[in-house]
């Protein structure tokens, strides 16, 4: 097979390499002469077929690419745009030579981007200050929004001919400068991997995926659109700004969607936001997949939905949402669809009204609209398809005739119809009347990125062309030749380019292939006629996502259904102060129950995780959001109960003193003499002490009051009970029974006082070692601090009051034994009743005391003291006072003598006891009178 022209340069290159290695003796020629010689030789051999070789390369497939081309210029700039939305589906025929699929679904928006690149190149070629000696050509391919088409276009572009030959540049046309493209992130990732192998520059206008920032994987990739790290951060800031903690996410099933939504989730979840659902939009949508996503949106309680997807991927979902009338949701849009006319279809106002999104920088490009309107429909196959799609007609006369015949009833056409068949375009239709995305230049955002990308390449070429010899950046300070430079040489200038964009004065430079992050926050607002306006409501700016700033004008936002208040999107409402969050098992942390703080605990912030324990002297208020001082409680003198007790105690003491006065006035009477005046006055004095010591229990406890009250009560009862024992023994004739050795009354009185002294000694030891003292009782009642007296030592108080109870028991036994010793006036019976009252009161006191709390415990104790004191006073002294005051005639010596009464059935022992007791009483009475 002869040498083909397509391989002539390759063959020449191999010959030059062999000559350089002295394999061919052509050293007498210069390099240029050698190169020309070999080219001529190659052309000669090709023409005559004298040189043949066995072909080792076979064509495996042919690419079917739509394109714009103008390579008859000094430098060629490549471009790649998704003019169509998808490739044509169909069965693959394996019986013929494979040919790549065609494309369908014409996209007016991306076609405008394509025309913008052509406009920018035309504008640059017309300028005298930028590349004045160099005109730019172009090769632009349609990627059809498909990775396979993007790869086909990249290989074809690198090869330089329609048949792609990897690793070879075929033909002798203008050098390739850079590729502007390839549209979506998935497409750019695929092309960047190939271009990176050859160190070929690529400047993207639409690929924002953060994966492309890796210079290890994509060393020659640059872009004029901000990295999605900025957008993810901006979306997270937006969600946090409005306090949304329950959001859903939808992402395209590509690198753009996956990386973008992943970084968004990381940002918001770190701040405590929960993801209600996370759905994926398939690249090739099926009705089942779309229905599943719609059901998820409807079932979720999240009112905020963040969408990271292109308009092409999102469009089927929006159509299904409109069909199902899914309203009352606020959508957060990524830059890929926020201003897309593909989404802006009739009937979406109820679904997408109030949408917030992020759009890249917007600009006005003078002259662009005029250029778009001057489109020649016959210039290119893509232009023809655009014209036919826009005006719903055909530029092909034969096709129009066939369609006219098919639509005719009898299949025949009139002469007029044959001349101009229905559906035939005349090529003069007015583009201005279309009002579609192609002619709409009000939102030039991605279009502006395309414009900047072309100018970045042009400025890099300008810097390369105007390199000063000897001051260049390459080996030995050399410069590159604008007519024959290598891609890696242009890459140097692209990385370091710094220029001002025409008409906008925006400064462009690349930092590791990235530009600064800038977004307009856009609000979708519909008027009454359903017309959509993209309202600018804020900005996001920053070179680095961690230091970026966002500004939002809340008052300018119109939300879904025309509301002016931001919607709420929470799984659970905020827990108010006074409650804490209780996490629900198996649910996200944003779904919780609000549990009231326990008594004594508070939470003073919203959504508190734990309640705070109040201090020992504090308690929670009713709302449980503040610790307040506990109520200090003690039985005060001034309160009604305290006054009542003071009055009763004073009354009892006065009555007792009155009795003492009566006894003093009747000291010489037989009744007083018969009852041992010393013991009687001792008993009355002890009762006065017990009455008055109850007053000491009142008021705020102090060290002196705690010691005084306990000791006075113990000594008072000890003296009282010892006196009763003496009274019973001496006054009722019991001495004759219990003292066989003729013990005197004075000796018995000494014993009685010894008992009191013993109690006093024990109290003294108690006060020295472990005295009673005031304490704050915070355990009895939660909301109160009870000021009370601590006894100091349980052992001491049990011993001392146990001693009093022992005296009471002995006194009761003495009185009970002496109750049958018949006197006209029986002292023993009075003491017996008095002791019964004493025991009843104190036995009742125990459960009553244990069942009360706070100051009422003191009141119960005082009541017991007063009741037992009044009982003893009444039972012992009331009969005597009655005789002394009411029946003085009965207060005679005769009546005080015993009067024995015969008892039927009495045993000898009982008679002897009665007789002995009567005799003793008579002797005692006689002795006292004498």
């Amino acid at each position: 097979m002869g040498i083909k022209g397509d391989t002539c340069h390759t063959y020449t290159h191999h010959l030059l390499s062999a000559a350089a290695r002295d394999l061919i003796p052509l050293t007498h020629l210069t390099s240029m002469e050698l190169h020309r010689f070999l080219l001529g030789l190659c052309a000669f051999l090709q023409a005559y077929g004298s040189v043949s070789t066995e072909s080792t390369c076979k064509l495996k497939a042919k690419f079917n690419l739509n394109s714009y081309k103008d390579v008859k210029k000094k430098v060629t700039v490549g471009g790649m745009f998704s003019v169509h939305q998808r490739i044509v589906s169909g069965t693959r025929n394996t019986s013929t030579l494979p040919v790549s699929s065609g494309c369908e679904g014409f996209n007016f928006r991306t076609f405008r981007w394509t025309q913008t690149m052509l406009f920018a190149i035309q504008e640059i070629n017309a300028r005298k200050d930028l590349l004045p000696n160099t005109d730019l050509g172009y090769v632009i391919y349609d990627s059809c929004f498909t990775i396979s088409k993007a790869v086909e276009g990249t290989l074809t572009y690198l090869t330089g001919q329609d048949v792609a030959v990897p690793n070879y540049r075929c033909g002798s046309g203008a050098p390739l400068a850079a590729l502007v493209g390839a549209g979506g992130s998935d497409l750019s990732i695929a092309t960047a991997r190939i271009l990176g192998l050859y160190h070929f520059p690529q400047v993207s206008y639409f690929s924002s995926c953060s994966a492309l920032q890796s210079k290890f994987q994509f060393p020659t990739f640059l872009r004029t659109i901000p990295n999605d790290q900025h957008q993810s951060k901006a979306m997270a800031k937006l969600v946090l700004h409005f306090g949304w903690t329950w959001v859903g996410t939808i992402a395209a099933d590509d690198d753009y969607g996956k990386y973008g939504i992943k970084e968004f989730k990381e940002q918001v979840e770190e701040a405590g936001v929960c993801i209600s659902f996370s759905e994926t939009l398939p690249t090739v949508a099926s009705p089942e997949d779309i229905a599943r996503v719609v059901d998820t949106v409807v079932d979720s309680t999240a009112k905020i939905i963040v969408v990271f997807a292109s308009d092409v991927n999102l469009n089927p979902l929006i159509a299904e949402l409109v069909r199902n009338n899914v309203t009352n949701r606020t959508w957060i849009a990524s830059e890929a669809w926020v201003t897309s006319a593909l989404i802006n279809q009739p009937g979406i106002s109820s679904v997408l009204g109030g949408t917030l999104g992020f759009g890249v920088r917007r600009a006005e490009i003078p002259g662009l609209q005029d250029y778009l309107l001057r489109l020649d429909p016959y210039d290119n196959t893509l232009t023809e398809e655009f014209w036919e799609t826009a005006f719903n007609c055909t530029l092909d006369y034969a096709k129009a005739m066939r369609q006219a015949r098919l639509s005719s009833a009898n299949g025949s056409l009139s002469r007029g119809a044959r001349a101009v068949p229905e559906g035939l375009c005349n090529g003069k239709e007015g583009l201005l009347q279309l009002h579609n995305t192609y002619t709409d230049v009000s939102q030039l955002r991605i279009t502006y990125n395309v414009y900047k990308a072309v100018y970045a390449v042009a400025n890099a070429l300008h810097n390369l062309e105007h390199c000063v010899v000897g001051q260049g950046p390459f080996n030995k300070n050399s410069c590159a030749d604008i007519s024959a430079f290598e891609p890696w040489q242009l890459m140097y200038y692209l990385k370091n380019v710094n220029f001002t964009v025409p008409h906008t004065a925006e400064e462009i430079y690349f930092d590791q292939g990235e530009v600064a992050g800038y977004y307009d926050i856009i609000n979708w607002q519909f008027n009454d006629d359903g017309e959509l306006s993209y309202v600018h409501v804020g900005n996001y700016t920053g070179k680095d996502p961690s230091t970026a700033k966002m500004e939002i004008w809340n008052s300018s936002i119109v939300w879904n259904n025309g509301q002016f208040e931001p919607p709420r999107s929470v799984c659970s409402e905020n827990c108010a102060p006074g409650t804490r969050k209780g996490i629900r098992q198996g649910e996200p942390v944003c779904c919780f129950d609000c549990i009231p703080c326990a008594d004594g605990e508070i939470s003073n912030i919203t959504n508190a995780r734990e309640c705070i324990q109040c201090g020992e002297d504090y308690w929670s208020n009713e709302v449980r959001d503040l610790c307040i001082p506990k109520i200090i409680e003690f039985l005060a003198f001034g309160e009604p109960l305290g006054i009542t007790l003071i009055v009763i105690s004073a009354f009892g003491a006065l009555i007792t003193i009155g009795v003492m006065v009566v006894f003093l006035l009747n000291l010489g009477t037989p009744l007083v003499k018969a009852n041992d005046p010393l013991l009687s006055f001792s008993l009355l004095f002890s009762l006065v002490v017990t009455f008055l010591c109850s007053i000491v229990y009142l008021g705020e406890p102090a060290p002196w009051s705690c010691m005084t009250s306990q000791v006075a009560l113990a000594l008072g009862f000890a003296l009282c009970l010892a006196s009763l024992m003496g009274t019973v023994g001496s006054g009722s004739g019991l001495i004759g029974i219990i003292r066989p050795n003729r013990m005197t009354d004075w000796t018995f009185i000494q014993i009685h006082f010894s008992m009191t002294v013993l109690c006093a000694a024990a109290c003294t030891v108690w006060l020295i070692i472990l005295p009673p003292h005031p304490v704050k009782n915070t355990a009895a009642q939660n909301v109160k601090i009870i000021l009370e007296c601590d006894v100091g030592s349980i052992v001491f108080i049990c011993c001392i009051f146990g001693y009093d109870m022992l005296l009471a028991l002995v006194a009761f036994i003495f009185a009970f034994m002496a109750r049958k010793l018949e006197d006209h006036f029986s002292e023993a019976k009075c003491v017996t009743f008095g002791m019964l009252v004493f025991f009843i009161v104190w036995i009742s006191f125990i459960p009553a005391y244990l069942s009360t709390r706070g100051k009422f415990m003191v009141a119960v104790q005082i009541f017991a003291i007063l009741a037992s004191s009044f009982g003893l006073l009444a039972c012992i002294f009331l009969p005597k006072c009655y005789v002394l005051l009411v029946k003085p005639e009965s207060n005679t010596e005769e009546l005080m003598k015993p009067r024995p009464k015969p008892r039927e059935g009495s045993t000898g022992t009982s008679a002897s006891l009665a007789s002995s007791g009567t005799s003793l009483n008579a002797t005692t009475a006689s002795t006292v009178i004498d």
Side-chain angles (χ1 to χ4, degrees):
M1 184 179 71
I3 299 176
K4 295 184 178 180
D6 294 336
T7 62
C8 205
H9 282 80
T10 302
Y11 184 73
T12 302
H13 173 73
H14 286 301
L15 289 175
L16 281 171
S17 299
R21 295 193 301 270
D22 292 331
L23 298 178
I24 301 176
L26 297 174
T27 54
H28 63 281
L29 299 177
T30 64
S31 297
M32 184 60 67
E33 290 173 336
L34 176 61
H35 186 261
R36 290 175 178 173
F37 167 76
L38 292 175
L39 281 176
L41 177 62
C42 184
F44 175 80
L45 293 176
Q46 176 185 354
Y48 290 96
S50 301
V51 179
S52 64
T53 181
E54 193 68 30
S55 176
T56 58
C57 300
K58 295 181 179 180
L59 184 64
K60 293 298 183 181
K62 285 187 177 181
F63 297 155
N64 180 16
L65 294 169
N66 299 310
S67 63
Y68 279 95
K69 288 184 180 181
D70 180 7
V71 295
K72 297 178 180 180
K73 296 293 189 294
K74 200 171 190 178
V75 178
T76 301
V77 180
M80 194 170 293
F81 298 88
S82 300
V83 179
H84 291 86
Q85 298 178 12
R86 56 191 172 272
I87 60 175
V88 177
S89 60
T91 58
R92 299 284 184 175
N93 188 351
T94 58
S95 62
T96 59
L97 181 68
V99 178
S100 63
S101 301
C103 302
E104 62 182 4
F106 199 90
N107 191 325
F108 293 143
R109 185 189 187 201
T110 52
F111 185 69
R112 187 201 329 129
W113 300 348
T114 307
Q115 295 301 313
T116 301
M117 180 174 176
L118 297 175
F119 167 76
I121 291 175
Q122 183 186 83
E123 188 177 70
I124 291 167
N125 289 339
R127 290 181 58 168
K128 301 301 182 183
D129 59 337
L130 184 63
L131 293 173
N133 303 317
T134 300
D135 285 341
L136 299 180
Y138 51 83
V139 175
I140 301 175
Y141 289 111
D142 176 15
S143 68
C144 301
F145 204 68
T146 308
I147 293 177
S148 60
K149 284 291 181 183
V151 171
E152 290 177 9
T154 303
L155 294 175
T156 304
Y157 176 65
L158 290 173
T159 301
Q161 61 181 24
D162 292 338
V163 178
V165 182
N167 291 337
Y168 285 92
R169 168 67 180 169
C170 302
S172 58
L176 304 179
L179 177 68
V180 176
S185 295
D186 268 8
L187 310 185
S188 285
I189 288 174
T191 57
R193 293 190 187 280
I194 298 173
L195 295 175
L197 295 174
Y198 305 104
H199 308 285
F200 199 96
Q202 176 182 358
V203 184
S204 179
Y205 52 86
F206 195 51
S207 303
S208 55
C209 179
S210 59
L212 286 163
Q213 70 184 351
S214 172
K215 294 306 162 190
F216 178 77
Q217 297 186 67
F218 311 104
T220 60
F221 179 82
L222 307 96
R223 52 187 162 192
T224 57
I225 188 172
N227 189 323
D228 269 342
Q229 285 185 341
H230 288 284
Q231 185 168 205
S232 298
K233 181 73 173 181
M235 285 183 168
K237 279 180 173 287
L238 182 72
V239 168
L240 297 177
H241 173 80
F242 290 106
W244 298 322
T245 59
W246 188 236
V247 300
T249 63
I250 298 175
D253 190 16
D254 55 23
D255 290 322
Y256 169 73
K258 291 176 183 176
Y259 279 89
I261 213 67
K262 173 179 175 290
E263 290 170 0
F264 167 77
K265 287 181 182 178
E266 291 174 353
Q267 294 281 344
V268 295
E269 287 176 345
E270 184 178 347
V273 177
C274 296
I275 305 301
S276 171
F277 64 87
S278 188
E279 284 291 343
T280 302
L281 287 175
T283 304
V284 180
S286 66
E288 294 78 14
D289 291 331
I290 298 301
R292 172 181 53 79
V293 177
V294 170
D295 290 341
T296 301
V297 172
V298 172
D299 294 340
S300 174
T301 58
K303 302 302 180 185
I304 307 299
I305 303 172
V306 178
V307 181
F308 245 104
S310 67
D311 52 354
V312 175
N313 289 331
L314 183 62
N315 192 42
L317 175 63
I318 298 301
E320 187 67 13
L321 290 170
V322 172
R323 193 179 70 83
N324 287 273
N325 194 28
V326 180
T327 60
N328 197 27
R329 303 291 192 279
T330 297
W331 301 80
I332 309 300
S334 64
E335 101 291 335
W337 67 275
V338 67
T339 57
S340 171
L342 185 64
I343 302 297
N344 183 16
Q345 299 299 323
I348 65 166
S349 58
S350 61
V351 177
L352 295 181
T355 293
L356 282 178
F358 294 87
V360 295
R361 190 185 298 270
R362 175 180 171 272
E364 300 288 342
I365 305 177
L368 177 61
Q369 187 173 36
D370 292 339
Y371 179 85
L372 296 176
L373 296 177
R374 292 198 305 267
L375 188 68
D376 181 1
Y378 302 101
D379 181 55
N380 183 274
T381 55
L382 282 174
T383 308
E384 290 180 10
E385 184 178 357
F386 160 76
W387 202 276
E388 292 177 347
T389 304
F391 295 105
N392 193 25
C393 60
T394 179
L395 293 167
D396 186 345
Y397 179 83
K399 182 178 179 181
M401 289 290 292
R402 289 194 299 271
Q403 292 176 346
R405 287 193 181 94
L406 290 174
S407 60
S408 175
N410 55 11
S412 60
L413 297 173
S414 64
R415 179 174 297 179
R418 286 195 298 271
V420 184
E422 185 180 356
L424 179 66
C425 302
N426 59 20
K428 297 180 181 180
E429 289 80 6
L431 288 173
L432 190 60
Q433 285 73 38
L434 282 178
H435 299 294
N436 65 8
T437 312
Y438 175 75
T439 58
D440 183 8
V441 294
S442 62
Q443 295 290 328
L444 299 181
R445 299 181 185 275
I446 307 301
T447 303
Y448 180 49
N449 285 348
V450 174
Y451 189 74
K452 290 187 289 186
V454 177
Y455 263 90
V457 175
N459 277 273
L461 287 168
H462 181 85
N463 295 337
L464 182 148
E465 183 179 24
H466 290 80
C467 173
V468 178
V469 178
Q471 299 179 10
F474 307 117
N475 187 30
K476 297 180 180 181
N477 297 326
S478 62
C479 296
D481 182 3
I482 189 68
S483 301
F485 62 87
E486 294 294 333
W488 58 268
Q489 292 176 315
L490 179 61
M491 185 65 199
Y492 168 82
Y493 288 100
L494 261 177
K495 288 195 302 182
N496 297 284
V497 73
N498 191 323
F499 68 98
T500 301
V501 182
H503 316 302
T504 66
E506 180 187 356
E507 183 182 6
I508 296 296
Y509 61 92
F510 295 107
D511 182 6
Q512 296 295 314
E514 306 286 352
V515 294
Y518 178 90
Y519 296 96
D520 290 333
I521 302 176
I522 299 170
N523 181 218
W524 286 28
Q525 297 181 12
F526 291 87
N527 60 18
D528 295 336
D529 296 330
E531 294 180 354
L532 172 62
S533 297
Y534 300 113
V535 180
H536 184 204
V537 296
N539 297 307
Y540 171 95
T541 56
K543 294 181 180 180
D544 185 270
S546 61
T547 59
K549 295 181 180 180
M550 185 170 68
E551 182 181 9
I552 301 177
W553 310 314
N554 292 359
S555 59
S556 301
I557 300 175
V558 178
W559 301 95
N560 193 272
N561 298 325
Q563 300 296 317
F564 292 94
E565 289 296 323
R568 287 185 57 78
S569 185
V570 295
C571 182
S572 300
E573 292 295 332
N574 290 333
C575 289
T579 61
R580 65 175 178 85
K581 294 200 298 186
I583 304 301
R584 298 174 185 169
Q585 292 295 329
E587 296 188 32
V589 294
C590 296
C591 301
F592 49 81
D593 297 314
C594 295
I595 303 172
C597 292
D599 291 337
E601 296 181 347
I602 65 160
S603 64
N604 52 12
I605 59 173
T606 302
N607 290 333
R609 295 185 178 274
E610 297 293 339
C611 295
I612 306 170
Q613 183 72 41
C614 290
E616 185 178 5
D617 294 343
Y618 293 84
W619 195 250
S620 55
N621 59 359
E622 290 185 5
V623 185
R624 293 183 173 85
D625 62 351
L626 182 66
C627 286
I628 57 176
K630 290 183 178 180
I631 299 172
I632 305 296
E633 183 177 87
F634 57 87
L635 190 55
F637 291 105
E639 60 181 290
L641 181 58
I643 295 173
T644 302
L645 294 175
I646 291 173
V647 170
I648 295 172
S649 300
F651 177 74
L654 291 174
I655 292 295
T656 306
I657 293 172
V659 173
M660 292 177 68
V661 172
V662 171
F663 265 59
L664 282 172
L665 294 176
N666 295 276
L667 187 61
T669 61
L671 178 60
V672 175
K673 291 181 179 180
N675 284 277
D676 198 333
L678 182 59
L679 292 176
S680 296
F681 284 119
S682 174
L683 178 58
L684 288 170
F685 174 75
S686 65
L687 290 175
V688 172
V689 171
T690 56
F691 276 123
L692 294 180
C693 78
S694 63
I695 298 177
V696 184
Y697 281 88
L698 299 174
E700 183 176 351
W704 70 268
S705 62
C706 290
M707 291 187 287
T708 302
S709 60
Q710 298 293 342
V711 173
L713 180 62
L715 291 177
F717 274 133
L719 180 60
C720 175
L721 296 171
S723 299
L724 284 177
M725 290 177 59
T727 300
V728 173
S730 62
S732 298
L734 191 60
I735 297 174
I737 301 174
I738 64 174
R739 55 178 188 187
N741 56 350
R742 306 294 297 172
M743 184 185 299
T744 64
D745 290 343
W746 181 250
T747 303
F748 201 90
I749 291 172
Q750 286 179 329
I751 295 174
H752 133 260
F753 279 109
S754 298
M755 294 176 182
T756 306
V757 171
L758 179 62
C759 181
C763 289
T764 301
V765 175
W766 178 22
L767 294 178
I768 294 173
I769 298 177
L770 291 169
H773 56 277
V775 294
K776 294 180 179 180
N777 185 350
T778 58
Q781 295 188 35
N782 293 329
V783 298
K784 296 179 181 178
I785 297 176
I786 301 172
L787 299 182
E788 59 186 15
C789 291
D790 186 275
V791 296
S793 173
I794 297 295
V795 175
F796 271 111
I797 195 170
C798 288
C799 291
I800 291 171
F801 283 98
Y803 177 75
D804 286 345
M805 292 299 105
L806 178 62
L807 294 179
L809 183 61
V810 173
F812 176 73
I813 292 172
F814 281 4
F816 185 78
M817 292 176 61
R819 75 188 188 285
K820 293 184 180 180
L821 298 178
E822 297 297 342
D823 256 342
H824 182 72
F825 185 83
S826 178
E827 178 77 10
K829 288 182 180 179
C830 294
V831 174
T832 300
F833 281 113
M835 295 310 298
L836 285 174
V837 171
F838 183 86
F839 282 120
I840 290 171
V841 168
W842 286 102
I843 290 172
S844 303
F845 160 77
I846 294 173
Y849 184 80
L850 295 177
S851 63
T852 55
R853 292 290 182 271
K855 62 184 180 181
F856 296 105
M857 296 179 70
V858 178
V860 169
Q861 193 171 3
I862 294 174
F863 274 122
I865 295 171
L866 295 177
S868 59
S869 300
F870 274 113
L872 292 174
L873 180 64
C875 291
I876 296 173
F877 290 99
L878 183 60
K880 298 174 183 178
C881 290
Y882 177 78
V883 172
L884 294 174
L885 299 176
V886 180
K887 295 285 187 178
E889 67 275 8
S890 299
N891 188 9
T892 63
E893 188 175 335
E894 184 65 27
L895 291 175
M896 293 300 107
K897 292 181 179 180
R899 296 181 180 179
K901 295 179 181 179
R903 292 185 178 86
E904 295 182 2
S906 298
T907 62
T909 304
S910 298
S912 301
L913 181 61
S915 176
S916 174
T918 302
S919 175
L920 289 170
N921 243 356
T923 304
T924 303
S926 176
T927 303
V928 173
I929 293 171
D930 291 341

